[in-house]
Amino acid sequence: MIRHILDSLAQADIDQRMVITGHDADLVRSALGDVKVAQNPGYANGMISSGKVGVAAVRNNCDAMLIVLGDHPLIQVDVFRRTIEQWRPNT
């Protein structure tokens, strides 16, 4: 499931992708291939704790961040593209 999401993001020309892992982190990491990974040691505290780990990991390295849940594989590539287009000024 997560691999499908990552492939969709790549098709939408999102070149920097990161996965925040929690439970079964090693198993998830082994399925990812060459993707940046950040571990959320407090994953039991809920989804927002993973969001905080992700923001902290990229805070100084990007202009914007798109948070995508890894268990929603039916999101179409075009949805990611349109989201980015709405964010970019003058497109």
Side-chain angles (χ1 to χ4, degrees), residues 54-87:
V55 169
V58 300
R59 178 183 328 236
N60 297 318
N61 298 324
C62 67
D63 294 324
M65 175 181 209
L66 178 63
I67 297 176
V68 179
L69 303 180
D71 59 353
H72 287 78
L74 298 180
I75 298 175
Q76 304 280 324
V77 173
D78 192 51
V79 171
F80 298 132
R81 288 185 181 135
R82 287 192 321 251
T83 301
I84 293 166
E85 288 171 7
Q86 290 298 310
W87 171 77

Side-chain angles (χ1 to χ4, degrees), residues 10-26:
Q11 289 174 35
D13 297 323
I14 298 173
D15 59 347
Q16 295 185 38
R17 296 171 304 280
M18 175 181 283
V19 172
I20 313 305
T21 60
H23 181 70
D24 285 335
D26 292 335

